[in-house]
Amino acid sequence: MAKGIRDKVAILGMGCAKFGERWDKDEDQLMVEAYQEALADAGIEPSQIDAAWLGAAFDAQNIGPSGIPLAMALRLPDIGVTKVENYCASGTESFRGAVYAVASGACDIALAMGAEKLKDTGYGGLPVRTRGTTHDMVGITGSAPGNFAQLASAYRGVHGVGKDDLKRAMAHVSVKSHANGAKNPKAHLQKAVTMEQVLNAPMIAEPLGLFDCCGVSDGAACAIVTTPEIARSLGKTDIVTVKALQLATSNGWEMQGSGWNGSYFHTTRVAATKAYDEAGITDPRSQLSLIEVHDCFSVTELVTMEDLHISKEGQGWRDILDGFFDADGELPCQIDGGLKCFGHPIGASGLRMIYENYLQILGRAGERQRQDSPVFALSHNLGGMPNQNVSSIAIIGRADA
């Protein structure tokens, strides 16, 4: 029986480029920006890296379908570089590849990079792409705001939540994240907004208004991982280890009329249950110190609080309005501003979330630092649409926890 990877891998160093409209930089330069910070944090030489993984989702608009661009940009020492793509979980997928390589003993030190440059594509949202002739024949009318607006409607209907109550809860998500992002110099959007601004913003797809939707952005984030033993031999004393990594992928169940009611993310529930088991967490509501989740839309964050088994089913909106997930609440969510303030350069987002959790655990998050000495931190990515998606969960924490 699989034993998992808990505490088998340590994060040696991490880095994150500033997210935003980086017209002055190409994707190679964004990767270098993140890499240089990670390398300095790790305190190693490039020659010590055994293998690397690159996560990017829109290769046609960016860097191409191989690991060569990462090897060239970083001048890696003729090592194996693997390109991975898994929708919005692409960054976490690169982290998973590097972590598993170290956990298996195949590498002593491995690198994970996530990067995306979407502003140069000219699209206001995600670039148009195809998944083949068959899909385009049956999926030509969908849009991300439209599909997630249906999630909000289903949630309301299933749980009997009033329209105004749900709208205010979603607005609180956005107000909270903007307040957090205003304290983060690496965020794309660094300006607070009011409840009135959010509630009165133009409608995008009812009930999702302008401030309920995250933007697109340019960005990159990087992690360097090794074993705890090697980390100590390199002089590291305050060590952060990987407690769990889990991935769950839709198999079509949600679309087969089998009972899925459209109000939750089945794969997130599956991945979260497995991740808690791997990490030895029995009560995530009390044991987790902070969380970063996939807030592509405000309602996504709201529903995810329940799918992560933190809020009771149908009660996540109440926890949000009560301030449970605020920066000064019981369990901060998006303490760095989240996708809402960073935007969503798809390949970079997963590693950007882990980067914030890493800084918080080490007490290096500056003005937004959580003061209660975080122990366990979770990050979550959701790629795809409510009815077909992939969910990834990464839990990191202090090595002695």
Side-chain angles (χ1 to χ4, degrees):
M1 183 176 179
K3 297 179 180 179
I5 59 168
R6 180 181 179 184
D7 293 326
K8 293 181 180 179
V9 178
I11 300 177
L12 195 57
M14 292 201 73
C16 182
K18 185 187 183 307
F19 282 39
E21 296 181 337
R22 302 295 302 272
W23 306 113
D24 59 328
K25 304 290 184 182
D26 60 25
E27 190 152 355
D28 287 357
Q29 291 170 303
L30 294 179
M31 290 192 290
V32 169
E33 186 177 328
Y35 169 66
Q36 288 178 333
E37 181 185 354
L39 194 67
D41 185 28
I44 62 171
E45 297 297 324
S47 60
Q48 293 174 267
I49 299 171
D50 296 320
W53 278 259
L54 168 62
F58 286 94
D59 57 73
Q61 284 86 5
N62 286 284
I63 57 175
S66 81
I68 295 173
L70 179 65
M72 293 181 66
L74 308 188
R75 299 296 190 265
L76 295 175
D78 299 318
I79 59 175
V81 181
T82 303
K83 162 78 185 308
V84 295
E85 174 189 346
N86 211 350
Y87 277 166
C88 304
S90 296
T92 310
E93 194 73 355
S94 70
F95 183 72
R96 193 165 71 110
V99 167
Y100 279 8
V102 169
S104 71
C107 297
D108 285 337
I109 299 176
L111 179 144
M113 176 73 73
E116 209 85 49
K117 197 168 194 320
L118 295 178
K119 301 306 295 186
D120 289 0
T121 64
Y123 284 89
L126 296 179
V128 173
R129 66 182 302 182
T130 178
R131 284 188 290 168
T133 302
T134 302
H135 178 269
D136 285 349
M137 289 174 63
V138 300
I140 58 175
T141 59
S143 73
N147 285 325
F148 283 87
Q150 292 180 63
L151 171 73
S153 297
Y155 181 87
R156 275 191 58 213
V158 169
H159 299 297
V161 182
K163 180 178 180 180
D164 291 342
D165 287 335
L166 183 61
K167 186 65 177 175
R168 289 191 67 82
M170 293 192 304
H172 188 99
V173 167
S174 299
V175 171
K176 173 262 300 174
S177 291
H178 274 272
N180 296 343
K183 299 177 182 179
N184 197 328
K186 291 193 175 184
H188 184 162
L189 304 176
Q190 299 177 32
K191 185 176 181 180
V193 297
T194 66
M195 183 71 76
E196 289 69 29
Q197 283 178 288
V198 178
L199 291 173
N200 296 319
M203 191 65 67
I204 303 300
E206 210 281 332
L208 303 179
L210 178 64
F211 288 101
D212 292 308
C213 311
C214 85
V216 296
S217 187
D218 304 330
C222 180
I224 298 173
V225 297
T226 187
T227 65
E229 294 76 19
I230 292 175
R232 292 187 184 95
S233 74
L234 293 170
K236 298 291 184 179
T237 56
D238 200 3
I239 296 176
V240 176
T241 57
V242 179
K243 304 295 183 179
L245 273 176
Q246 289 293 333
L247 185 75
T249 309
S250 294
N251 63 5
W253 175 84
E254 297 94 330
M255 297 188 292
Q256 294 173 347
S258 54
W260 181 68
N261 58 30
S263 71
Y264 64 94
F265 301 108
H266 174 66
T267 59
T268 298
R269 294 183 177 189
V270 172
T273 298
K274 291 181 177 180
Y276 295 143
D277 182 61
E278 184 175 20
I281 290 175
T282 56
D283 182 10
R285 188 178 175 95
S286 64
Q287 288 178 269
L288 292 174
S289 303
L290 65 158
I291 53 177
E292 292 278 325
V293 304
H294 199 83
D295 56 324
C296 51
F297 299 94
S298 55
V299 70
T300 315
E301 178 175 328
L302 185 156
V303 170
T304 299
M305 297 304 95
E306 300 176 19
D307 295 338
L308 292 176
H309 313 300
I310 294 168
S311 294
K312 292 182 179 178
E313 191 169 347
Q315 300 299 311
W317 65 278
R318 294 185 187 274
D319 281 342
I320 287 170
L321 288 175
D322 288 343
F324 187 83
F325 300 109
D326 290 358
D328 59 355
E330 294 295 319
L331 179 54
C333 180
Q334 327 295 52
I335 201 168
D336 64 345
L339 271 68
K340 188 67 189 65
C341 289
F342 272 82
H344 186 24
I346 300 172
S349 290
L351 277 162
R352 188 268 304 161
M353 295 176 177
I354 298 171
Y355 171 78
E356 177 65 20
N357 286 342
Y358 171 76
L359 292 182
Q360 289 281 344
I361 291 171
L362 292 176
R364 290 164 34 186
E367 184 182 358
R368 62 188 184 279
Q369 177 63 46
R370 179 75 170 177
Q371 296 304 312
D372 59 355
S373 300
V375 177
F376 294 113
L378 176 148
S379 58
H380 156 269
N381 289 112
L382 179 87
M385 297 298 173
N387 66 347
Q388 51 179 343
N389 51 69
V390 54
S391 289
S392 63
I393 304 285
I395 300 176
I396 63 174
R398 294 188 173 278
D400 57 359

